[in-house]
Amino acid sequence: ESIVEVGGRPIAFTILGYEGVTVEVAYDGGYPSLFGPNTLVIVDGVSGIGGRIDASSVIIKHENEFVTDPEDTQAFAPASE
């Protein structure tokens, strides 16, 4: 949803979860090359101040890795143009 950068390097971002819930994430490590807006991520970390996640790792997941039922595809992947 939003990415905060310092010197052109991401240091924090907001993720949008189910039912519109947003979570702030702080991360000071290396980001995968595919990281960017609207990227599906898995974040590993601990709860920080105000519900923020202080992440120890960020992993990019591809849409097809989340789909367990082909009929659920639209719930996990953006619509095709």
Side-chain angles (χ1 to χ4, degrees):
E1 186 151 291
S2 66
I3 300 172
V4 177
E5 295 183 351
V6 171
R9 185 167 111 30
I11 60 163
F13 56 97
T14 303
I15 55 176
L16 178 63
Y18 293 106
E19 299 181 4
V21 174
T22 59
V23 177
E24 301 291 323
V25 178
Y27 181 60
D28 194 25
Y31 283 84
S33 61
L34 296 175
F35 180 80
N38 301 314
T39 303
L40 296 173
V41 295
I42 294 177
V43 176
D44 184 24
V46 296
S47 181
I49 298 170
R52 179 188 72 218
I53 296 175
D54 292 330
S56 56
S57 69
V58 174
I59 301 169
I60 302 299
K61 294 302 280 183
H62 299 279
E63 291 89 352
N64 62 347
E65 294 176 17
F66 282 100
V67 177
T68 58
D69 181 344
E71 292 184 17
D72 289 340
T73 302
Q74 292 303 312
F76 298 100
S80 300
E81 291 184 25

